[in-house]
Amino acid sequence: MTLRFRYVVQGLAIVIVCFTFLGAGPAKSVDARFNDLGHKLMCKCGCGQILLECNHTGCTYSTQMRNELMAALTRGAPAGGSTPESDELVLQSFVQEYGATVLAAPTTKGFNIVAWIVPFIALIAGLGLVTVIVRKWNFRVQPVGAQDLQPAELDALRHRAREETEL
């Protein structure tokens, strides 16, 4: 083995080890999970706000939903001996109870992928339409009656207009 090859292999081994342990770390606390999941859910009172940011005085939906979220997160806490519910399972229980509109962002599975793709397709189609329209415009404006003028006469008039307007 050459020295250069050995360095490449060692470098690759270091990169693989780093990527392997990149996601490893301490588990999230219940408060961190509550904050994370609470920002992925919408309040169902009709305000259109994120669950943890619903600021309506006396909103019974947000209080009830926050209590349900905290109960779901502490239901299987490690102190109880069982494994805690996964974040996906908690979100799915809210979807089953309140419907898919409880999620702040659509999922990236099934037909919901359309909600992520269509805005980009519409943006690209709009930019293409604007490009076609701009290319079809005629930027050389001809004065009324200019159809009868020869190109040399038209250029002389343009030159005179530029001199008078100092463009």
Side-chain angles (χ1 to χ4, degrees), residues 31-141:
D31 292 333
R33 289 180 64 207
F34 179 80
N35 189 32
D36 185 40
L37 291 177
H39 282 93
K40 292 181 179 180
L41 296 171
M42 300 292 291
C43 182
K44 294 304 288 181
C45 70
C47 64
Q49 294 182 352
I50 301 294
L51 176 62
L52 296 184
E53 296 173 8
C54 179
N55 57 1
H56 290 97
T57 306
C59 178
T60 57
Y61 280 102
S62 65
T63 306
Q64 174 189 353
M65 290 175 71
R66 286 176 186 167
N67 291 339
E68 288 177 20
L69 179 60
M70 186 55 82
L73 293 176
T74 57
R75 187 175 305 134
S82 62
T83 59
E85 291 185 18
S86 71
D87 293 349
E88 185 65 32
L89 187 61
V90 172
L91 289 176
Q92 285 304 316
S93 69
F94 273 86
V95 168
Q96 286 178 352
E97 185 173 347
Y98 296 103
T101 57
V102 76
L103 297 177
T107 61
T108 57
K109 296 175 183 150
F111 187 71
N112 289 335
I113 195 97
V114 173
W116 291 101
I117 295 174
V118 168
F120 295 108
I121 292 173
L123 177 68
I124 291 169
L127 288 174
L129 182 65
V130 167
T131 302
V132 168
I133 290 172
V134 167
R135 286 188 178 191
K136 291 205 179 246
W137 282 347
N138 187 2
F139 288 104
R140 295 187 63 148
V141 177

Side-chain angles (χ1 to χ4, degrees), residues 1-14:
M1 257 200 242
T2 65
L3 192 58
R4 177 179 282 172
F5 182 72
R6 179 182 282 173
Y7 286 142
V8 169
V9 170
Q10 288 175 350
L12 286 174
I14 290 172

